[in-house]
Amino acid sequence: MARKGEASTSPYGEPRKFDPKFRGPIHNRHCTDVLCCVIFIVVILGYIALGILAWVHGDPRKVVYPTDSYGQFCGQKDTINENKTSLFYFNILKCASPIVLINLQCPTTQLCVSKCPDRFATYIDMQASYRYNKSYWEYYRQFCKPGFNKPLKSVAQVIRDEDCPSMIIPSRPFLKRCFPDFSTKNGILTVANQTTFKDGRGKTRNVTDLREAANGINNVLDARSVGMKIFEDYASSWHWILIGLFIAMVVSLLFLVLLRFTAGVLFWIFILGVIGIIGYGIWHCYWEYDHLQGTPGSDLTIYDIGFQTDFRVYLQLRQTWLAFMIILCIVEVFIILMLIFLRNRIRIAIALLQEGSRAIGYIMSTLFYPIITFILIAICISYWAVTAVFLSTSGEPVYKVMANQTLCKYANLTCDPETFNTTNVTKLCVGAQCTFAFYGGESFYHKYIFIFQLSNAFVFLWLVNFAIALGQCTLAGAFASYYWAFRKPADIPTCPLFSSFGRAIRYHTGSLAFGSLILAIVQLIRIILEYLDHKLKGTQNSFTRFLLCCLKCCFWCLEKFIKFINRNAYIMIAIYGKNFCTSAKEAFFLLMRNVVRVAVLDKVTDFLLFLGKLLVAGGVGVLAFFFFTHRIPVFTQETPTLNYYWVPLLTVIIGSYLIAHGFFSVYAMCVDTLFLCFCEDLERNDGSTAKPYYMSASLHRILGKKELSPKKAMG
């Protein structure tokens, strides 16, 4: 049963019957989807509790500081390693790649040192020199285990027990870890200008043997150098970047104002341009077709020559140009017929665009609402990132047996460093050590860290979608109050944006949370599918990969559809104050009853807004290019000297596009809201004195119906 004063819609989505009591949106609202609102609040409280739990157990220092084989941080203040900021690897050749090093999974002793070695040396050479010069040992011992002071211990036993490294090589710190100091000399890889080194076991090896252990180090170091230069460019040009972004904001505002008067002109220029380009294409195809007449081989068919990797062969055939000409003629005729039969709907779409500019002109505060959405999303991202870091650094040090012997049955088993020497492991696996591996634990909390991380990601998606939904509903309510004002602008309520925001928070938090929840679930499934696809890339199971590809495609389409439904459902919620399911159903049926108008409006709006974004980003980008390349004589002296002029240039272009997108997203929301209100207005009213239209006079004239009532015409 419909409430008194509301129009009803049949389950099959027929147009509403005229309601003589209808006078615009319902103002006496009630809370919608209360259960989902309660669940949403409970989830937020649980999310806060999860953050506190992660904060109690986590330790971000595990990310900032490297950890040695004893689970101690390197370089941390008020510890024995305070002055030992770098991590040194006894035998870097045992490490497969830099990723292994960073993850602390290299099966060799890791030690905190005050500085990385700056020379080639071996334990054998040090021992030979110790008898007449003890300074060699004083330098070498800083890379041995703390407390070890037996320079005359046999080399075999030292290497077995890993008391000291068998060799040291010139290194430099990166990510607080000692990596070989690679360089290239005349195209040859060297370390400290040497191509060979002694491995401490009586062999001379080439520095290329270090490639696998330190693959890509030079590239990473070069990237670090580039990063420093980019930072310098930002430091010297940040104020000019802000000026460029401010210009982009002003240009975006001007474009929205001009769109009110030029929307129709821009669209028809685009259409005529497309028709002209296609017409030229038809003429060019005919010219090529006629020009090839009499040319040897041009009368062959595509079937005769079969498949050719060189596609230029096909351009020598008359049949190819004839096919192109026919296709272009079909497209040309289709566009012309579409313009003829859809001309009235195109005029309505252009009028709605102009009406949107007029609405924004009366409610200018809506242009700055995206800042609130940006702040809310930034808070969500920050909280998610901090919680994820604390969760990933939760746990106590876990030690595992690191054995040089590949057949040791105790390898990779957990161990206790305090009691390890009293076990039989060292006897059965000579040289085995109890080495720090990672942080973890056996408690309930540590066992379900992955579940907590998944929950963190899910709630993050939910909150981000809620922030976007809140913005859409708020803007829709503000623009709906403009449309349903009988006399514009006299009947527009005071502070419509603030009032709409208050209604959305007070009455419709549950509905917005419900729509956001559905979208978050689909997005989480897509993330899981992407993860599985990444894991299965190396497999040969073609069926599984095909199935995953199909699922990814289906859920991508589902996400787009849900976003479309949610957006229009939020508009209906803002207008009528009903729950999410009812609003989504009514919005869907209303759009389906006006499906042609929807398609035309979407294409016209998308084109004009895309054109606006390109104009803003391109115009400001060209101006920035001339400025940062010293091509504007007036500002030559003020232009900063840069390492890479493309750094501030790309920043200005991307930033300008995002600013334009933020402003134009408000415009798109305005047009969508006015369109739904327009469709509702047509179904509920008939333009008579008793049931006058709420649309503007310009929209009414396009309909070609009888004149507005005298009161409406005056408004």
Side-chain angles (χ1 to χ4, degrees), residues 114-126:
S114 56
K115 60 180 181 179
C116 297
D118 58 4
R119 67 192 71 171
F120 283 106
T122 65
Y123 191 84
I124 295 174
D125 294 339
M126 179 282 303

Side-chain angles (χ1 to χ4, degrees), residues 326-381:
I326 294 173
I327 293 173
L328 290 177
C329 287
I330 293 173
V331 173
E332 186 87 333
V333 172
F334 175 77
I335 293 176
I336 293 174
L337 291 176
M338 182 187 69
L339 291 175
I340 293 173
F341 289 103
L342 300 180
R343 61 187 184 278
N344 289 330
R345 288 176 174 82
I346 292 175
R347 290 174 60 203
I348 292 174
I350 295 173
L352 280 170
L353 290 171
Q354 295 171 333
E355 189 72 8
S357 299
R358 192 176 296 112
I360 292 176
Y362 287 129
I363 315 175
M364 288 293 292
S365 57
T366 55
L367 289 174
F368 302 97
Y369 185 85
I371 297 176
I372 298 177
T373 301
F374 172 79
I375 293 173
L376 292 176
I377 293 177
I379 292 173
C380 294
I381 294 175

Side-chain angles (χ1 to χ4, degrees), residues 200-483:
R201 290 175 169 82
K203 295 182 180 179
T204 300
R205 305 179 67 167
N206 195 291
V207 295
T208 55
D209 294 337
L210 296 170
R211 278 183 182 274
E212 186 178 357
N215 186 28
I217 293 297
N218 277 329
N219 294 333
V220 177
L221 294 175
D222 291 341
R224 186 187 183 191
S225 176
V226 172
M228 292 300 296
K229 292 180 180 179
I230 291 175
F231 178 79
E232 293 173 359
D233 289 343
Y234 277 124
S236 59
S237 63
W238 64 270
H239 49 290
W240 293 108
I241 293 175
L242 292 180
I243 292 174
L245 297 180
F246 177 77
I247 294 174
M249 183 181 70
V250 174
V251 173
S252 299
L253 288 171
L254 290 176
F255 185 84
L256 290 180
V257 173
L258 292 175
L259 202 60
R260 174 177 176 179
F261 308 101
T262 61
V265 176
L266 287 176
F267 176 77
W268 290 115
I269 288 175
F270 167 73
I271 289 297
L272 293 176
V274 171
I275 292 175
I277 292 172
I278 296 176
Y280 170 78
I282 294 172
W283 176 84
H284 183 77
C285 291
Y286 174 78
W287 183 86
E288 291 283 357
Y289 175 79
D290 184 67
H291 182 71
L292 288 173
Q293 186 175 5
T295 303
S298 62
D299 291 328
L300 293 174
T301 64
I302 297 176
Y303 179 80
D304 292 333
I305 65 172
F307 177 76
Q308 300 290 329
T309 56
D310 187 0
F311 291 98
R312 289 177 296 181
V313 174
Y314 297 106
L315 300 181
Q316 307 302 320
L317 304 178
R318 298 185 71 205
Q319 189 184 63
T320 302
W321 293 105
L322 179 62
F324 286 161
M325 184 172 62
I326 294 173
I327 293 173
L328 290 177
C329 287
I330 293 173
V331 173
E332 186 87 333
V333 172
F334 175 77
I335 293 176
I336 293 174
L337 291 176
M338 182 187 69
L339 291 175
I340 293 173
F341 289 103
L342 300 180
R343 61 187 184 278
N344 289 330
R345 288 176 174 82
I346 292 175
R347 290 174 60 203
I348 292 174
I350 295 173
L352 280 170
L353 290 171
Q354 295 171 333
E355 189 72 8
S357 299
R358 192 176 296 112
I360 292 176
Y362 287 129
I363 315 175
M364 288 293 292
S365 57
T366 55
L367 289 174
F368 302 97
Y369 185 85
I371 297 176
I372 298 177
T373 301
F374 172 79
I375 293 173
L376 292 176
I377 293 177
I379 292 173
C380 294
I381 294 175
S382 302
Y383 189 86
W384 165 78
V386 171
T387 303
V389 169
F390 273 91
L391 284 173
S392 62
T393 57
S394 299
E396 300 298 327
V398 174
Y399 298 87
K400 288 193 173 184
V401 176
M402 294 291 182
N404 294 325
Q405 300 178 8
T406 57
L407 298 179
C408 178
K409 64 179 181 179
Y410 296 101
N412 294 324
L413 296 180
T414 56
C415 57
D416 184 354
E418 296 183 359
T419 61
F420 182 72
N421 292 330
T422 61
T423 64
N424 294 327
V425 178
T426 54
K427 297 178 181 178
L428 298 175
C429 302
V430 179
Q433 299 182 65
C434 186
T435 305
F436 168 80
F438 54 87
Y439 289 96
E442 300 297 329
S443 65
F444 174 84
Y445 172 79
H446 296 111
K447 287 181 179 178
Y448 293 94
I449 286 290
F450 177 76
I451 301 298
F452 292 147
Q453 286 283 24
L454 202 62
S455 302
N456 182 32
F458 173 71
V459 180
F460 163 71
L461 293 174
W462 194 359
L463 291 175
V464 168
N465 287 317
F466 178 82
I468 296 173
L470 178 61
Q472 292 176 343
C473 189
T474 299
L475 292 172
F479 293 127
S481 65
Y482 162 83
Y483 186 94

